[in-house]
Amino acid sequence: MKTGQAETPYTEFINKMVKDAQENPYWKREYMDAMMDAVHQDKEIRKAEAKGAHDKAVETARVMLINGKLSVEEISDITQLSAEEIKELQ
């Protein structure tokens, strides 16, 4: 039964170890550093994903321009790139 209290000497030992770990300044710092690294990595992954999506849109726009069947405005609507950015590709 979950009572929040140690029911055996072993769980009492585990509870003490957890409490000691939570109060240890070195471990707290290590945990915070790991969390900050994870946040930084997440931001970098999001940036890379956005860049990849943009690069793919640029490549798609290039192919559409080569094909010559769509206007700059139509390509802009499809790729979500600005008309100026597409004109630079011409």
Side-chain angles (χ1 to χ4, degrees):
M1 174 187 314
K2 293 184 180 183
T3 63
Q5 300 294 321
E7 296 178 4
T8 67
Y10 180 71
T11 55
E12 184 176 328
F13 171 76
I14 296 295
N15 285 344
K16 182 181 180 327
M17 295 295 292
V18 168
K19 185 177 179 185
D20 289 348
Q22 290 172 337
E23 295 174 357
N24 183 311
Y26 174 77
W27 288 4
K28 280 184 182 180
R29 182 67 184 168
E30 287 293 311
Y31 175 78
M32 292 305 295
D33 287 347
M35 292 303 295
M36 293 303 290
D37 287 346
V39 168
H40 178 72
Q41 288 175 353
D42 185 58
K43 287 180 183 177
E44 292 300 314
I45 289 168
R46 289 178 192 266
K47 276 194 232 179
E49 288 172 342
K51 183 181 180 325
H54 181 265
D55 291 349
K56 181 63 177 171
V58 168
E59 183 58 31
T60 300
R62 278 195 181 108
V63 170
M64 291 176 173
L65 285 169
I66 291 168
N67 187 300
K69 294 182 180 178
L70 298 173
S71 69
V72 169
E73 291 75 24
E74 291 170 319
I75 295 171
S76 176
D77 288 342
I78 293 167
T79 62
Q80 300 297 305
L81 296 172
S82 70
E84 294 78 25
E85 196 170 0
I86 294 167
K87 287 176 186 175
E88 290 176 7
L89 299 174
Q90 290 179 317

PDB file of all heavy atoms in Angstrom, residues 38-54:
ATOM      1  N   ALA A  38      19.577  19.573 -22.765  1.00  0.00           N
ATOM      2  CA  ALA A  38      18.431  19.014 -23.478  1.00  0.00           C
ATOM      3  C   ALA A  38      17.615  20.120 -24.149  1.00  0.00           C
ATOM      4  O   ALA A  38      17.183  19.972 -25.299  1.00  0.00           O
ATOM      5  CB  ALA A  38      17.554  18.210 -22.519  1.00  0.00           C
ATOM      6  N   VAL A  39      17.433  21.234 -23.459  1.00  0.00           N
ATOM      7  CA  VAL A  39      16.699  22.367 -24.038  1.00  0.00           C
ATOM      8  C   VAL A  39      17.463  22.921 -25.244  1.00  0.00           C
ATOM      9  O   VAL A  39      16.874  23.196 -26.289  1.00  0.00           O
ATOM     10  CB  VAL A  39      16.460  23.468 -22.976  1.00  0.00           C
ATOM     11  CG1 VAL A  39      15.974  24.758 -23.614  1.00  0.00           C
ATOM     12  CG2 VAL A  39      15.477  22.987 -21.925  1.00  0.00           C
ATOM     13  N   HIS A  40      18.770  23.057 -25.093  1.00  0.00           N
ATOM     14  CA  HIS A  40      19.595  23.564 -26.194  1.00  0.00           C
ATOM     15  C   HIS A  40      19.527  22.621 -27.395  1.00  0.00           C
ATOM     16  O   HIS A  40      19.393  23.063 -28.542  1.00  0.00           O
ATOM     17  CB  HIS A  40      21.037  23.746 -25.725  1.00  0.00           C
ATOM     18  CG  HIS A  40      21.962  24.210 -26.794  1.00  0.00           C
ATOM     19  ND1 HIS A  40      21.938  25.487 -27.296  1.00  0.00           N
ATOM     20  CD2 HIS A  40      22.913  23.559 -27.489  1.00  0.00           C
ATOM     21  CE1 HIS A  40      22.848  25.600 -28.247  1.00  0.00           C
ATOM     22  NE2 HIS A  40      23.454  24.436 -28.381  1.00  0.00           N
ATOM     23  N   GLN A  41      19.631  21.333 -27.143  1.00  0.00           N
ATOM     24  CA  GLN A  41      19.563  20.356 -28.229  1.00  0.00           C
ATOM     25  C   GLN A  41      18.211  20.420 -28.925  1.00  0.00           C
ATOM     26  O   GLN A  41      18.135  20.332 -30.157  1.00  0.00           O
ATOM     27  CB  GLN A  41      19.816  18.946 -27.706  1.00  0.00           C
ATOM     28  CG  GLN A  41      21.252  18.697 -27.329  1.00  0.00           C
ATOM     29  CD  GLN A  41      21.467  17.339 -26.687  1.00  0.00           C
ATOM     30  OE1 GLN A  41      20.512  16.614 -26.395  1.00  0.00           O
ATOM     31  NE2 GLN A  41      22.710  16.986 -26.448  1.00  0.00           N
ATOM     32  N   ASP A  42      17.146  20.595 -28.153  1.00  0.00           N
ATOM     33  CA  ASP A  42      15.812  20.693 -28.735  1.00  0.00           C
ATOM     34  C   ASP A  42      15.714  21.914 -29.641  1.00  0.00           C
ATOM     35  O   ASP A  42      15.166  21.828 -30.746  1.00  0.00           O
ATOM     36  CB  ASP A  42      14.752  20.760 -27.630  1.00  0.00           C
ATOM     37  CG  ASP A  42      13.347  20.736 -28.187  1.00  0.00           C
ATOM     38  OD1 ASP A  42      13.015  19.765 -28.900  1.00  0.00           O
ATOM     39  OD2 ASP A  42      12.584  21.689 -27.917  1.00  0.00           O
ATOM     40  N   LYS A  43      16.259  23.042 -29.204  1.00  0.00           N
ATOM     41  CA  LYS A  43      16.249  24.256 -30.023  1.00  0.00           C
ATOM     42  C   LYS A  43      17.041  24.047 -31.308  1.00  0.00           C
ATOM     43  O   LYS A  43      16.617  24.480 -32.382  1.00  0.00           O
ATOM     44  CB  LYS A  43      16.815  25.440 -29.245  1.00  0.00           C
ATOM     45  CG  LYS A  43      15.893  25.963 -28.172  1.00  0.00           C
ATOM     46  CD  LYS A  43      16.518  27.127 -27.437  1.00  0.00           C
ATOM     47  CE  LYS A  43      15.638  27.608 -26.309  1.00  0.00           C
ATOM     48  NZ  LYS A  43      16.257  28.697 -25.550  1.00  0.00           N
ATOM     49  N   GLU A  44      18.180  23.399 -31.198  1.00  0.00           N
ATOM     50  CA  GLU A  44      19.005  23.144 -32.382  1.00  0.00           C
ATOM     51  C   GLU A  44      18.291  22.211 -33.362  1.00  0.00           C
ATOM     52  O   GLU A  44      18.364  22.406 -34.575  1.00  0.00           O
ATOM     53  CB  GLU A  44      20.364  22.570 -31.977  1.00  0.00           C
ATOM     54  CG  GLU A  44      21.254  23.554 -31.240  1.00  0.00           C
ATOM     55  CD  GLU A  44      21.566  24.795 -32.061  1.00  0.00           C
ATOM     56  OE1 GLU A  44      21.914  24.667 -33.250  1.00  0.00           O
ATOM     57  OE2 GLU A  44      21.452  25.910 -31.512  1.00  0.00           O
ATOM     58  N   ILE A  45      17.609  21.219 -32.837  1.00  0.00           N
ATOM     59  CA  ILE A  45      16.862  20.297 -33.693  1.00  0.00           C
ATOM     60  C   ILE A  45      15.748  21.047 -34.416  1.00  0.00           C
ATOM     61  O   ILE A  45      15.547  20.875 -35.621  1.00  0.00           O
ATOM     62  CB  ILE A  45      16.291  19.116 -32.876  1.00  0.00           C
ATOM     63  CG1 ILE A  45      17.432  18.184 -32.449  1.00  0.00           C
ATOM     64  CG2 ILE A  45      15.226  18.352 -33.659  1.00  0.00           C
ATOM     65  CD1 ILE A  45      17.049  17.148 -31.422  1.00  0.00           C
ATOM     66  N   ARG A  46      15.045  21.909 -33.698  1.00  0.00           N
ATOM     67  CA  ARG A  46      13.963  22.687 -34.324  1.00  0.00           C
ATOM     68  C   ARG A  46      14.507  23.609 -35.410  1.00  0.00           C
ATOM     69  O   ARG A  46      13.891  23.757 -36.469  1.00  0.00           O
ATOM     70  CB  ARG A  46      13.192  23.479 -33.277  1.00  0.00           C
ATOM     71  CG  ARG A  46      12.349  22.594 -32.387  1.00  0.00           C
ATOM     72  CD  ARG A  46      11.631  23.403 -31.314  1.00  0.00           C
ATOM     73  NE  ARG A  46      11.064  22.549 -30.331  1.00  0.00           N
ATOM     74  CZ  ARG A  46       9.808  22.118 -30.362  1.00  0.00           C
ATOM     75  NH1 ARG A  46       9.018  22.456 -31.359  1.00  0.00           N
ATOM     76  NH2 ARG A  46       9.343  21.335 -29.411  1.00  0.00           N
ATOM     77  N   LYS A  47      15.666  24.230 -35.146  1.00  0.00           N
ATOM     78  CA  LYS A  47      16.284  25.092 -36.161  1.00  0.00           C
ATOM     79  C   LYS A  47      16.647  24.283 -37.395  1.00  0.00           C
ATOM     80  O   LYS A  47      16.425  24.716 -38.526  1.00  0.00           O
ATOM     81  CB  LYS A  47      17.550  25.759 -35.614  1.00  0.00           C
ATOM     82  CG  LYS A  47      17.324  27.006 -34.824  1.00  0.00           C
ATOM     83  CD  LYS A  47      18.666  27.711 -34.653  1.00  0.00           C
ATOM     84  CE  LYS A  47      18.914  28.009 -33.211  1.00  0.00           C
ATOM     85  NZ  LYS A  47      20.198  28.674 -32.972  1.00  0.00           N
ATOM     86  N   ALA A  48      17.236  23.116 -37.178  1.00  0.00           N
ATOM     87  CA  ALA A  48      17.643  22.260 -38.302  1.00  0.00           C
ATOM     88  C   ALA A  48      16.425  21.799 -39.103  1.00  0.00           C
ATOM     89  O   ALA A  48      16.473  21.758 -40.337  1.00  0.00           O
ATOM     90  CB  ALA A  48      18.437  21.063 -37.788  1.00  0.00           C
ATOM     91  N   GLU A  49      15.356  21.454 -38.412  1.00  0.00           N
ATOM     92  CA  GLU A  49      14.135  21.041 -39.104  1.00  0.00           C
ATOM     93  C   GLU A  49      13.570  22.188 -39.945  1.00  0.00           C
ATOM     94  O   GLU A  49      13.142  21.978 -41.083  1.00  0.00           O
ATOM     95  CB  GLU A  49      13.089  20.546 -38.108  1.00  0.00           C
ATOM     96  CG  GLU A  49      13.430  19.204 -37.498  1.00  0.00           C
ATOM     97  CD  GLU A  49      12.493  18.809 -36.366  1.00  0.00           C
ATOM     98  OE1 GLU A  49      11.779  19.690 -35.813  1.00  0.00           O
ATOM     99  OE2 GLU A  49      12.471  17.619 -36.025  1.00  0.00           O
ATOM    100  N   ALA A  50      13.553  23.390 -39.378  1.00  0.00           N
ATOM    101  CA  ALA A  50      13.043  24.554 -40.107  1.00  0.00           C
ATOM    102  C   ALA A  50      13.914  24.845 -41.327  1.00  0.00           C
ATOM    103  O   ALA A  50      13.405  25.142 -42.416  1.00  0.00           O
ATOM    104  CB  ALA A  50      12.976  25.766 -39.188  1.00  0.00           C
ATOM    105  N   LYS A  51      15.235  24.743 -41.158  1.00  0.00           N
ATOM    106  CA  LYS A  51      16.139  24.980 -42.279  1.00  0.00           C
ATOM    107  C   LYS A  51      15.921  23.932 -43.367  1.00  0.00           C
ATOM    108  O   LYS A  51      15.886  24.244 -44.554  1.00  0.00           O
ATOM    109  CB  LYS A  51      17.593  24.975 -41.834  1.00  0.00           C
ATOM    110  CG  LYS A  51      18.561  25.291 -42.980  1.00  0.00           C
ATOM    111  CD  LYS A  51      19.997  25.253 -42.546  1.00  0.00           C
ATOM    112  CE  LYS A  51      20.971  25.562 -43.640  1.00  0.00           C
ATOM    113  NZ  LYS A  51      20.661  25.112 -44.978  1.00  0.00           N
ATOM    114  N   GLY A  52      15.755  22.685 -42.963  1.00  0.00           N
ATOM    115  CA  GLY A  52      15.508  21.619 -43.924  1.00  0.00           C
ATOM    116  C   GLY A  52      14.212  21.843 -44.698  1.00  0.00           C
ATOM    117  O   GLY A  52      14.168  21.656 -45.917  1.00  0.00           O
ATOM    118  N   ALA A  53      13.172  22.279 -44.003  1.00  0.00           N
ATOM    119  CA  ALA A  53      11.894  22.547 -44.661  1.00  0.00           C
ATOM    120  C   ALA A  53      12.042  23.717 -45.638  1.00  0.00           C
ATOM    121  O   ALA A  53      11.513  23.675 -46.759  1.00  0.00           O
ATOM    122  CB  ALA A  53      10.812  22.850 -43.634  1.00  0.00           C
ATOM    123  N   HIS A  54      12.779  24.745 -45.234  1.00  0.00           N
ATOM    124  CA  HIS A  54      13.006  25.891 -46.117  1.00  0.00           C
ATOM    125  C   HIS A  54      13.819  25.484 -47.342  1.00  0.00           C
ATOM    126  O   HIS A  54      13.491  25.857 -48.469  1.00  0.00           O
ATOM    127  CB  HIS A  54      13.702  27.018 -45.355  1.00  0.00           C
ATOM    128  CG  HIS A  54      13.951  28.220 -46.195  1.00  0.00           C
ATOM    129  ND1 HIS A  54      15.151  28.424 -46.834  1.00  0.00           N
ATOM    130  CD2 HIS A  54      13.150  29.259 -46.525  1.00  0.00           C
ATOM    131  CE1 HIS A  54      15.082  29.543 -47.524  1.00  0.00           C
ATOM    132  NE2 HIS A  54      13.877  30.087 -47.353  1.00  0.00           N
TER     133      HIS A  54
END
